[in-house]
Amino acid sequence: MREKELRLAIVCSGGISLAVYMHGLTRELLKLSRASSFYHAVPEVEAKQTRPFASLTPPPGQTMDTEGVYYDLLQDVGAEVDLRVIIDVIAGASAGGINGVILGRALAHDLPFTGLRKMWLEGSDVRELVAEEDRSNWADKLLAPLVRWISGGRLAQLEQDSETLGKFISLLQIARLKPPFDGTRLIQTLMQALEGMGKPEHRGSSLLPQGHELDLFVTVTDFYGYPRRIPLYDPPVIEEKEHRHVLSFSYVHWPSGDEHSEFRMEDIPALSFAARATSSFPGLFPAARLDEVDEVLAAQDRQWDDKKAFIERSFRDHARGGANPETSAFVDGAVLNNKPLDAAITAIQTKPAYRNVDRRLLYINPNPGDVEPSVEQEAPGVLEAVKSSLSDLPRHEPIYDDLMWIRQNNYEVAQTEAIIEAARPDIEKLVSKLMGRRATRYHVTTDQIERWRDMANQGAAETAGIAYKGYLRLKLNSSIVNITAILADICDVSLASPEASFVRQAVNEWAHMRQAYPEDFGHLGRGVRLRSTPAWLRLLRGFDLDFRQRRIRFVIKHLNHLYTRLDEPDFKDLNAYRLDYLKGRFYEVLEHLRQKQKTAAFSLDATNRIQNLFLPELESDELDPAQGIAFARKHGVALDTIIESLSRDLTLETMNYQADDIFSSMEHTGAGGSVRQELLTQYLGFSYWDTLTFSAGSWRQQAEQDEIRVSRLSPQDCTALRDTGPDVLQGIRMGNFGAFFRRADRENDYLWGRLHAADRLLDMVYDAAKTAGAGERINILAYKKRAFEVILETEAQHLTHSDELLETLRAEVAALAVD
């Protein structure tokens, strides 16, 4: 049975009152993820194919509806390809940030959305968003004539909508010149909503499979900013203020049983602050401050126990710049970063693949807007220009650069794959000759595998010829970067800072002083003792983490292909369980490598030596990064001791032994013979492949080698039910504020959010199946019709102001021709 993962990275842009629409979208995303989790709850293929959804018991507090539709589609597709859907990245700004926070907590701990419908339909009305003391109608009579006069008739379309017009006028509160909405009240509402989702049913209860990490990113804008030092040539250092900021949260449940979560009940104050700050629309909400959370908790006789840890983790650059985040003010994240594709792209690069992966970046844009060319338009007025420059234009910032990066990334992935496959026959012959018959017929010891590794490295050097020298230079540069990153982390300086540039200069000069960059690299000997090896080889053995990570990932990538070959005669004794076990062991090696890069992995003696040596220089007000060279020449012996100590703490050679041991013990897991030979060929042959591809750039730029496919989810892209674009949404009125004024409008947008998401997500699952060579016989429109029917039936009992809309949509769904 072929296996595949549809991996989704979700990017939610801002949309003000279109947050209600996005809640409908994220509700369906959660339901698709839960359906996939249900489907894969049992590993046996036959059980998956025969177990009906109706026989499943939903977790406590969960309300099931479209999960059954998604489940049945996965079961239908599963006759040909075992498809799993995983959401592992969420990035949001403003209204998208609020929805991202809520979706992140639901995914991390498999929690319900049940009570959130009420929050959005009732709690997001303007009357609920203002402070208690401002809920009066004094402004109605005072401001109504003035607003009509200023608008010059532009509110004529609202004259027939007395509810919206009345609420809009009362919001303007010109006499007070204060934001009409209550930030503290929003914090309280968000905390109640997140806490109302409940606690995990048990440890490890999650919609993320073991070993998969969920990353959430929320953009905020620091109104006052914090100083950031930037290295230049002349002058050597300049200082600027940084206002963009990203708050991040993560969850992972390791195969070992350890769980790391920043979505616990204890984390709700931090999550609530992130949601409040990212949606602090200028002029509507006061700027967000951290002490708002303390005020809300104090009123409930509670306190924020993890506040210090959250600040230390989330505001390190503030501390480095001498700024105090507790006295700063944060406004809407969409002001400077409304479409945080960059955060999602960066996270995607770190995600391991457990199966063949169809990697999608799903970009949610509820109102793409008009893109017609501007022809012979009048110059904007003063107020219009100010409003657009402060609000409208930043929110419509194009994503062209990010999409072009993805396009270039996909090209490099394809290029690297082409190089790998072109060289595969020759490399496999070389490695097969090196191993002989022993790999398949006899027990293989770790000593034997170590000898084969040395021989393969030597063979790669001889085969590459003069190109090998350039390859080694790149690897040495990578090792210097790793040392710099370790030293910078221990000294608590940003890698983008002049201080880190100083450290890099010092380490680079030290390497030249110790002849780690010789003109002639000499001959890579076999089995030579570490102390007798040349400096460049000691440097690689001590600090080339990246090569070891690339090699293990390369083996895992080939292991993923074995899932599609389980029915071949050579693999008759193999099954998915054994491959999963093997893969888990390889990922343990990767996790150990990742842990080795953390500050805590190094001895206290090494940490103290580093700080005592570097901090007096780095804390100088007259620091010049170029002086790192003189520093290395002065403290060369001390750097010898420090770098040798770091190498000893990293123990990368132990990681080699750990990987070798996996191969030597494969026959005990039922994965010996042909399986071991297949994977050993990738492991030993990687030196050849890496020599060919490392200089091409792709290996260095990302951890995983997968194409990223971008899909947009907007009203314009969902046409199965009605081809009208964003005009079906009421929230786009009044500059995207429209849904704040009437419950009927919020119900309309929420319902369309669910319908549009079901339309688009079913298409994506179907397309992922088709790209795997399955699903051609499936009538996807029939699944869509069924999903629409289920949504309308479920929501009819909750949407009390939408009888006419529901009746119209029922008729349209019934008219869909699915035969």
Side-chain angles (χ1 to χ4, degrees):
M1 172 67 68
R2 289 168 293 171
E3 299 193 357
K4 191 170 189 176
E5 287 181 0
L6 173 59
R7 303 277 287 276
L8 300 178
I10 312 299
V11 177
C12 304
S13 63
I16 313 175
S17 76
L18 289 168
V20 182
Y21 173 73
M22 283 189 275
H23 173 60
L25 300 178
T26 54
R27 185 177 285 260
E28 284 305 302
L29 283 165
L30 178 64
K31 288 179 176 293
L32 172 58
S33 181
R34 185 174 292 127
S36 179
S37 179
F38 274 136
Y39 179 68
H40 290 275
V42 293
E44 296 88 356
V45 174
E46 184 177 350
K48 291 178 184 177
Q49 287 297 295
T50 57
R51 188 179 59 161
F53 181 78
S55 68
L56 303 177
T57 303
Q62 307 280 21
T63 301
M64 315 294 279
D65 46 58
T66 49
E67 286 94 338
V69 181
Y70 299 127
Y71 180 94
D72 288 349
L73 177 58
L74 291 171
Q75 199 171 56
D76 202 352
V77 167
E80 299 172 88
V81 58
D82 193 27
L83 182 65
R84 185 164 202 160
V85 183
I86 298 168
I87 300 172
D88 58 359
V89 177
I90 305 169
S94 192
I98 293 182
N99 281 285
V101 167
I102 295 170
L103 177 62
R105 183 157 198 265
L107 290 169
H109 294 297
D110 191 9
L111 300 175
F113 261 25
T114 307
L116 296 169
R117 183 192 291 106
K118 182 178 180 181
M119 182 192 81
W120 287 110
L121 296 184
E122 297 180 11
S124 59
D125 187 275
V126 291
R127 294 290 192 186
E128 297 297 322
L129 294 170
V130 299
E132 292 280 355
E133 62 271 18
D134 292 329
R135 296 183 188 181
S136 62
N137 62 356
W138 68 270
D140 292 0
K141 294 181 180 180
L142 178 65
L143 295 178
L146 179 61
V147 169
R148 289 188 175 91
W149 176 72
I150 292 174
S151 68
R154 290 173 192 159
L155 294 181
Q157 69 270 28
L158 300 181
E159 291 291 343
Q160 304 302 317
D161 186 352
S162 58
E163 180 184 356
T164 300
L165 182 59
K167 290 179 180 178
F168 175 69
I169 291 172
S170 65
L171 278 179
L172 297 183
Q173 298 197 36
I174 295 173
R176 299 192 182 189
L177 288 177
K178 59 174 284 189
F181 291 165
D182 185 352
T184 303
R185 184 175 180 81
L186 178 58
I187 282 274
Q188 186 178 21
T189 299
L190 290 167
M191 289 183 65
Q192 289 174 348
L194 290 168
E195 289 173 350
M197 296 170 70
K199 299 179 180 180
E201 187 177 358
H202 53 77
R203 181 178 177 83
S205 176
S206 175
L207 295 179
L208 275 294
Q210 281 193 352
H212 287 263
E213 185 171 10
L214 171 67
D215 288 313
L216 166 68
F217 304 95
V218 179
T219 67
V220 298
T221 303
D222 187 335
F223 183 81
Y224 296 112
Y226 58 91
R228 171 167 280 180
R229 289 157 56 84
I230 304 172
L232 298 180
Y233 174 70
D234 184 19
V237 178
I238 64 171
E239 193 169 274
E240 291 189 345
K241 273 197 172 183
E242 178 63 78
H243 295 271
R244 292 175 302 172
H245 195 64
V246 177
L247 300 174
S248 62
F249 303 85
S250 65
Y251 170 86
V252 64
H253 182 208
W254 297 109
S256 63
D258 294 334
E259 184 180 53
H260 165 79
S261 177
E262 290 163 357
F263 296 93
R264 306 163 301 164
M265 293 293 286
E266 302 94 307
D267 299 305
I268 286 178
L271 292 165
S272 300
F273 171 77
R276 155 77 172 100
T278 191
S279 59
S280 182
F281 191 87
L284 282 186
F285 284 100
R289 291 180 179 269
L290 284 160
D291 58 12
E292 283 182 329
V293 180
D294 295 316
E295 292 174 14
V296 171
L297 290 173
Q300 303 171 15
D301 198 24
R302 299 160 60 192
Q303 62 181 12
W304 188 354
D305 295 327
D306 292 338
K307 181 178 181 179
K308 182 179 179 181
F310 170 67
I311 291 175
E312 290 177 352
R313 172 173 61 86
S314 303
F315 297 98
R316 291 186 69 183
D317 285 338
H318 282 71
R320 290 164 175 165
N324 182 2
E326 292 200 70
T327 61
S328 193
F330 300 90
V331 297
D332 198 312
V335 172
L336 295 178
N337 190 0
N338 188 39
K339 301 169 183 176
L341 271 75
D342 54 345
I345 290 169
T346 301
I348 287 172
Q349 298 174 49
T350 67
K351 299 297 182 184
Y354 273 67
R355 301 285 190 273
N356 287 331
V357 170
D358 185 341
R359 164 56 76 181
R360 304 288 180 101
L361 192 154
L362 181 59
Y363 165 50
I364 295 175
N365 187 1
N367 187 12
D370 186 7
V371 294
E372 293 296 323
S374 301
V375 180
E376 297 182 2
Q377 297 197 59
E378 296 180 1
V382 174
L383 293 179
E384 185 179 2
V386 170
K387 175 180 178 293
S388 293
S389 63
L390 295 179
S391 176
D392 296 342
L393 293 181
R395 289 176 179 275
H396 289 89
E397 179 186 6
I399 57 175
Y400 178 84
D401 290 342
D402 290 319
L403 296 182
M404 287 302 99
W405 183 93
I406 292 174
R407 183 175 181 179
Q408 178 64 24
N409 167 81
N410 292 344
Y411 169 77
E412 291 189 0
V413 168
Q415 184 182 48
T416 302
E417 289 291 338
I419 294 171
I420 290 171
E421 293 308 314
R424 183 174 295 281
D426 292 332
I427 293 175
E428 288 182 344
K429 286 180 182 178
L430 289 170
V431 177
S432 179
K433 183 178 179 180
L434 179 151
M435 292 189 297
R437 298 179 179 179
R438 188 172 186 85
T440 56
R441 297 189 178 184
Y442 305 100
H443 173 69
V444 180
T445 66
T446 54
D447 289 340
Q448 179 64 66
I449 294 173
E450 182 181 8
R451 287 193 293 272
W452 285 340
R453 275 196 290 107
D454 287 341
M455 293 167 64
N457 290 339
Q458 180 67 35
E462 294 171 353
T463 303
I466 60 173
Y468 199 71
K469 184 182 292 186
Y471 167 68
L472 287 179
R473 286 267 179 175
L474 288 173
K475 281 162 60 73
L476 286 167
N477 288 341
S478 177
S479 297
I480 295 298
V481 169
N482 287 334
I483 296 174
T484 302
I486 293 168
L487 295 176
D489 194 36
I490 289 173
C491 294
D492 194 26
V493 297
S494 167
L495 277 176
S497 67
E499 290 80 6
S501 296
F502 177 92
V503 174
R504 171 70 182 270
Q505 289 272 15
V507 175
N508 196 57
E509 178 63 17
W510 169 86
H512 281 89
M513 289 165 52
R514 297 301 180 254
Q515 297 184 329
Y517 283 105
E519 289 297 319
D520 182 9
F521 284 95
H523 191 69
L524 182 59
R526 302 172 187 171
V528 185
R529 289 183 176 274
L530 183 62
R531 292 187 178 180
S532 64
T533 55
W536 62 267
L537 187 52
R538 290 201 303 273
L539 188 62
L540 291 179
R541 286 184 174 179
F543 295 97
D544 195 4
L545 293 91
D546 301 337
F547 173 83
R548 290 163 174 82
Q549 290 173 332
R550 291 195 303 273
R551 181 169 61 189
I552 295 298
R553 288 193 174 100
F554 189 73
V555 172
I556 291 174
K557 191 174 184 69
H558 191 78
L559 191 156
N560 285 335
H561 288 294
L562 296 183
Y563 286 95
T564 67
R565 301 174 57 188
L566 294 178
D567 53 355
E568 294 182 11
D570 286 345
F571 304 115
K572 61 183 179 180
D573 296 327
L574 190 63
N575 56 46
Y577 302 114
R578 289 173 177 172
L579 289 180
D580 287 345
Y581 172 75
L582 276 179
K583 195 173 338 188
R585 294 196 63 189
F586 283 123
Y587 274 119
E588 286 177 4
V589 178
L590 283 180
E591 174 58 14
H592 288 163
L593 286 168
R594 189 176 72 90
Q595 293 293 337
K596 289 291 183 182
Q597 294 172 283
K598 293 185 176 181
T599 303
F602 302 101
S603 66
L604 182 61
D605 178 65
T607 299
N608 288 336
R609 284 176 181 270
I610 291 166
Q611 291 176 341
N612 291 336
L613 181 64
F614 280 97
L615 287 183
E617 297 289 335
L618 299 181
E619 293 174 351
S620 170
D621 292 335
E622 304 193 3
L623 175 72
D624 183 349
Q627 292 303 311
I629 296 174
F631 177 87
R633 292 172 180 172
K634 180 180 178 180
H635 300 286
V637 175
L639 287 172
D640 288 341
T641 303
I642 285 172
I643 292 174
E644 182 180 350
S645 178
L646 292 179
S647 176
R648 190 165 52 247
D649 289 341
L650 281 173
T651 59
L652 294 189
E653 289 300 299
T654 302
M655 298 298 101
N656 283 339
Y657 176 83
Q658 188 178 358
D660 294 346
D661 183 62
I662 297 174
F663 290 100
S664 69
S665 59
M666 272 190 180
E667 64 263 24
H668 302 306
T669 66
S674 298
V675 177
R676 180 167 57 194
Q677 184 178 35
E678 286 261 354
L679 297 180
L680 258 179
T681 299
Q682 315 309 308
Y683 182 66
L684 301 174
F686 182 71
S687 295
Y688 294 92
W689 274 300
D690 201 46
T691 304
L692 291 172
T693 59
F694 187 54
S695 60
S698 291
W699 286 126
R700 289 175 286 145
Q701 292 177 13
Q702 63 180 57
E704 297 300 325
Q705 287 283 291
D706 290 304
E707 178 185 4
I708 302 172
R709 295 170 175 165
V710 181
S711 299
R712 188 180 70 172
L713 201 171
S714 78
Q716 293 180 0
D717 308 310
C718 307
T719 58
L721 191 54
R722 190 189 297 179
D723 189 4
T724 58
D727 292 342
V728 299
L729 304 182
Q730 298 300 315
I732 66 172
R733 299 189 307 160
M734 303 174 65
N736 287 349
F737 285 92
F740 284 147
F741 295 92
R742 298 174 68 243
R743 173 166 178 140
D745 293 346
R746 294 190 292 279
E747 290 186 3
N748 174 87
D749 289 4
Y750 163 68
L751 181 59
W752 277 110
R754 289 204 65 183
L755 294 170
H756 283 165
D759 184 350
R760 201 78 170 104
L761 295 178
L762 287 166
D763 274 339
M764 292 180 67
V765 173
Y766 181 50
D767 184 66
K770 288 197 299 181
T771 58
E776 293 290 346
R777 58 184 173 72
I778 293 174
N779 185 343
I780 195 63
L781 184 58
Y783 278 100
K784 290 184 180 183
K785 182 174 183 178
R786 185 177 148 207
F788 297 156
E789 291 171 341
V790 170
I791 291 170
L792 294 176
E793 180 182 355
T794 299
E795 297 299 346
Q797 57 187 310
H798 303 288
L799 306 184
T800 57
H801 293 61
S802 302
D803 291 344
E804 183 178 347
L805 173 64
L806 288 165
E807 192 62 32
T808 301
L809 288 172
R810 287 191 187 101
E812 292 182 17
V813 171
L816 289 176
V818 298
D819 294 329

